[in-house]
Amino acid sequence: MFEKLNSKILLIVVFSCLICLSIAVGVARHFNQKELHSGIVDKSRAIHSRLRAATAFVANQGGLKPIIDSMTAKYKSSTEMTDEDKRAVLAQVPVFAAMKIGAEGAEQEHYSFRVFSDEPRRKENKATLAELEIFKKFEADPELLEWVSDDAKVVTVFRPIRISEKQGCLNCHGNPSMSPWGNGEDVLGYKMENWRDGKLHGVFALITNIDDVKAAKAKIELMSTDKQIGLFIGVGLILALVIAAVLVRGPLSRVKSVSEKLVSDSNDVGSAVSQIFSIS
């Protein structure tokens, strides 16, 4: 009887511990996932800030206008320029510097870099339907500086790129009448769009696959988060069994002792009653 009671109490304690452990693990995983997503967004923001700083740095050097003047002095049209000449020009374009830095750092920092526009000069930068929706958000609200898309698999942080007269953007995208070649084309031979200062030019997107981040994190850590949680459950269950056995054994022993004493006393009383009936 007491062995069955002992087993039942142990089972109740263990079951209760398992429920508590499951709740604790669920809460831990939820907050761990939330922290991971938050960390990805913060890192993406830091990278965006780095790209913006690179844009400002190149613009402040003021090298775009001088190199345009040198090319027009050397050649009669953009068709005469060599690939090396074009690379030299692009090196002085602020937004190109940001694009180059964003793309080159992507693999090492486990993200994908994408730039898109509704009117791109390169067809690979043409916005998809989904990207066009993001583009329109920035276009409709000049005060909107960031948009974050976050789901269970991918976190993407978008930031707008706007035409800046101060940074020299109108040298390539301004009024065609300002063409350095006098034919409505910019120094690289692209048609000038007659855009205005502040116009939305495109959007930078930093796309992070959550599984890739987890895999990279697992390589650094001794074990993955899921394995840590599994170990936590196993150790917790063993501790629960040990603690339950220690805590329950003492009280049950006392209950058993009292019960045996009552049974013994009951037997003594029964014996006395039998003797009285016998004498009677």
Side-chain angles (χ1 to χ4, degrees), residues 98-211:
M99 290 168 62
K100 189 172 180 63
I101 292 172
E104 288 182 349
E107 185 176 350
Q108 294 86 347
E109 300 192 54
H110 310 291
Y111 69 87
S112 298
F113 177 77
R114 167 99 172 126
V115 57
F116 58 85
S117 174
D118 63 336
E119 300 178 75
R121 286 184 167 181
R122 296 182 179 182
K123 60 181 181 181
E124 62 265 27
N125 295 332
K126 180 71 175 178
T128 64
L129 290 177
E131 290 171 341
L132 196 57
E133 292 299 315
I134 302 297
F135 188 92
K136 289 178 179 178
K137 291 179 186 295
F138 289 116
E139 193 174 44
D141 184 4
E143 301 299 319
L144 183 62
L145 301 179
E146 178 184 274
W147 185 264
V148 178
S149 172
D150 187 354
D151 58 36
K153 295 184 178 180
V154 178
V155 176
T156 307
V157 180
F158 303 91
R159 285 200 177 176
I161 313 160
R162 299 187 182 277
I163 293 294
S164 171
E165 183 176 6
K166 183 179 179 181
Q167 293 184 346
C169 297
L170 297 184
N171 285 306
C172 297
H173 300 283
N175 195 304
S177 64
M178 302 301 293
S179 167
W181 306 112
N183 60 359
E185 296 177 352
D186 70 0
V187 65
L188 295 175
Y190 291 103
K191 183 180 178 181
M192 297 177 71
E193 299 94 341
N194 195 27
W195 288 347
R196 298 288 185 269
D197 186 38
K199 182 192 182 302
L200 181 63
H201 180 14
V203 176
F204 280 167
L206 296 183
I207 307 153
T208 305
N209 185 294
I210 296 173
D211 289 339

Side-chain angles (χ1 to χ4, degrees), residues 13 20 34-35 44 49 51 145 200 277:
V13 172
C20 293
K34 189 175 181 181
E35 184 180 357
S44 297
S49 296
L51 302 185
L145 301 179
L200 181 63
F277 273 110

Side-chain angles (χ1 to χ4, degrees), residues 54-120:
T55 302
F57 177 80
V58 174
N60 289 337
Q61 303 309 301
L64 182 57
K65 188 64 169 67
I67 200 167
I68 290 175
D69 292 340
S70 70
M71 293 299 166
T72 54
K74 186 176 179 181
Y75 303 112
K76 292 182 179 180
S77 74
S78 61
T79 57
E80 297 179 5
M81 293 172 61
T82 65
D83 290 340
E84 186 178 349
D85 291 329
K86 292 178 180 179
R87 285 193 293 268
V89 172
L90 287 172
Q92 300 301 323
V93 177
V95 72
F96 181 79
M99 290 168 62
K100 189 172 180 63
I101 292 172
E104 288 182 349
E107 185 176 350
Q108 294 86 347
E109 300 192 54
H110 310 291
Y111 69 87
S112 298
F113 177 77
R114 167 99 172 126
V115 57
F116 58 85
S117 174
D118 63 336
E119 300 178 75

Side-chain angles (χ1 to χ4, degrees), residues 248-260:
V248 171
R249 183 179 296 173
L252 281 179
S253 297
R254 288 192 290 272
V255 170
K256 183 179 180 181
S257 177
V258 170
S259 179
E260 288 174 346

